[in-house]
């Protein structure tokens, strides 16, 4: 006769056997799993090392290429802008090193930089738009015609273009010296610009900016700079908008311009002015503007070629 005790012992033995089986099975599985993970970790480590080596090699090649562009740049641009004049407009985030190097290269091209004007953060601040519009309207030179568009970038471009740029046909000033002083003084008093000493009108303009805008209102700020540069181009013999890497992104001034065919048809853009090659492209793009053409240059996906006169390797 099978007793209750026998049943209890049998059930306990079954559970014990099951527990031992689970422990042994999981131990074997864990060992196999850990061995596999260790192998994958080793493979991933090798891939990371290979990628780092490739990156270092590419960086070295880029450094060599940029050093070559820096050495050859003065020879490439020599005489390209002989006896021409250029006014330099910078945004607050433009790098001083880019500005200084570009000024030097413009001088080596035979042109004269007639002055510098920096746009402050308030210039593109959406919260300051109404104030800037009022200042620009009040400072409009007598006899000048401003666009009917109400956005501040276009209106400010019309004002500064009328006083900073020479007439594209006659190469004569479009306003008086007093009107130039009044425009710069009024915008300075309003906190929208910082003007260098003894600014004079020029035939051409470079608008030098940084990378893409970030934070609240980034798109609006980028659009203000883009429309400003476009209107500046319409006012004189030509303008180039140049920026650092990232400036051609969606919230960069160049990105806004390149998304608008009406702007790209007249305004030249360079998205790698933080390199020697980009600065050479900027000077060549100024010559292109004088010749009545425009283009998109640099290394971004929406650039048409590395530089004026150089075919795109992707066939764009």
């Amino acid at each position: 006769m099978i007793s209750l005790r026998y049943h209890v012992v049998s059930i306990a033995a079954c559970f014990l056997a099951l527990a031992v089986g689970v422990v042994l099975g999981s131990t074997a599985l864990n060992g196999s799993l850990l061995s596999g993970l260790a192998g994958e970790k080793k493979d991933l480590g090798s891939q990371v090392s290979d990628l780092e080596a490739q990156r270092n090699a590419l960086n070295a090649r880029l450094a060599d290429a940029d050093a070559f562009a820096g050495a050859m740049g003065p020879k490439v641009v020599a005489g390209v802008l002989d006896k021409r004049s250029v006014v330099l407009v910078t945004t607050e985030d433009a790098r001083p090193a880019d500005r200084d190097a570009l000024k030097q290269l413009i001088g080596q091209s035979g042109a004269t930089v007639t002055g510098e004007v920096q746009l402050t953060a308030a210039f593109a601040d959406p919260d300051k738009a109404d104030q800037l519009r009022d200042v620009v309207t009040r400072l409009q030179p007598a006899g000048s015609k401003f666009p009917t568009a109400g956005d501040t970038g276009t209106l400010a471009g019309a004002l500064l273009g009328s006083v900073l740029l020479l007439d594209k046909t006659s190469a004569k000033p479009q306003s008086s010296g007093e009107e130039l002083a009044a425009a710069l003084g009024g915008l300075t008093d309003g906190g929208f610009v910082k003007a260098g000493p003894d600014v004079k009108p020029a035939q051409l303009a470079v608008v030098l900016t940084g990378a893409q805008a970030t934070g609240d209102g980034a798109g609006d700020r980028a659009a203000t700079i883009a429309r400003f540069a476009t209107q500046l181009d319409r006012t004189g013999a030509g303008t180039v908008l140049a920026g650092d890497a990232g400036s051609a992104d969606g919230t960069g001034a160049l990105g806004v311009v390149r998304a608008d065919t009406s702007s790209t048809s007249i305004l030249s853009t360079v998205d790698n002015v933080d390199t020697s090659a980009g600065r050479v492209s900027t000077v060549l793009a100024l010559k292109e503007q004088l010749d009545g053409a425009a283009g998109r240059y640099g290394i971004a996906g929406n650039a048409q070629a590395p530089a004026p006169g150089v075919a795109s390797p992707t066939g764009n």
Side-chain angles (χ1 to χ4, degrees):
M1 181 176 178
I2 300 174
S3 66
L4 178 62
R5 179 179 180 184
Y6 178 82
H7 281 294
V8 172
V9 171
S10 297
I11 293 172
C14 288
F15 277 112
L16 179 61
L18 178 63
V20 171
V22 169
V23 170
L24 292 175
S26 63
T27 300
L29 179 63
N30 285 341
S32 176
L33 180 61
L34 290 174
S35 177
L37 289 174
E40 290 184 9
K41 179 181 178 182
K42 183 178 179 180
D43 291 342
L44 289 173
S46 297
Q47 292 179 34
V48 169
S49 297
D50 291 343
L51 290 172
E52 287 179 343
Q54 293 177 28
R55 182 198 62 189
N56 292 336
L58 288 173
N59 285 339
R61 291 175 63 183
L62 287 172
D64 288 344
D66 200 51
F68 178 78
M72 296 301 297
K75 296 180 177 65
V76 172
V77 304
V80 167
L81 297 176
D82 190 34
K83 299 179 182 178
R84 303 294 185 175
S85 54
V86 181
V87 65
L88 186 58
V89 181
T90 62
T91 60
E92 190 182 43
D93 62 338
R95 300 196 317 164
D98 296 341
R99 176 201 63 204
D100 295 342
L102 184 57
K103 279 178 59 180
Q104 181 179 7
L105 195 63
I106 290 172
Q108 291 167 333
S109 75
T112 301
V113 175
T114 62
E116 298 178 45
V117 176
Q118 183 188 61
L119 310 179
T120 67
F123 183 91
D125 185 351
D127 293 335
K128 301 283 188 179
D130 289 339
Q131 182 182 347
L132 177 57
R133 185 179 297 107
D134 291 342
V135 171
V136 167
T137 302
R138 175 169 52 83
L139 295 171
Q140 181 175 354
S144 64
K145 295 182 180 180
F146 279 12
T148 55
D151 69 272
T152 53
T154 298
L155 291 174
L159 172 62
L160 285 177
S162 68
V163 297
L164 291 179
L165 292 175
L166 302 174
D167 183 88
K168 65 179 70 177
T169 303
S170 66
K172 293 182 178 179
Q174 302 183 63
S175 57
S176 67
E178 291 76 14
E179 289 170 329
L180 169 60
L184 292 180
L187 289 170
T188 299
D189 291 342
F192 297 110
V193 306
K194 295 177 181 178
D198 198 26
V199 178
K200 292 183 174 64
Q203 292 172 296
L204 300 162
V206 173
V207 179
L208 182 64
T209 186
Q212 72 269 37
T214 58
D216 294 339
D220 291 335
R221 297 199 303 275
T224 296
I225 301 302
R227 291 166 183 162
F228 166 79
T230 301
Q231 184 58 39
L232 206 63
D233 189 20
R234 293 190 179 103
T235 310
T239 296
V240 176
L241 174 62
D244 290 357
S247 61
D249 291 347
T251 58
L254 274 74
V256 175
V257 169
R258 290 178 176 179
D260 180 3
T261 54
S262 64
S263 295
T264 56
S265 65
I266 62 171
L267 178 67
S268 292
T269 54
V270 178
D271 61 49
N272 59 335
V273 76
D274 53 333
T275 67
S276 297
R279 291 188 284 272
V280 171
S281 296
T282 301
V283 174
L284 296 178
L286 285 170
K287 177 60 168 63
E288 175 185 65
Q289 285 282 302
L290 279 174
D291 295 338
R296 310 179 310 277
Y297 306 110
I299 58 175
N302 51 14
Q304 71 185 68
V310 179
S312 170
T314 61
N316 290 340

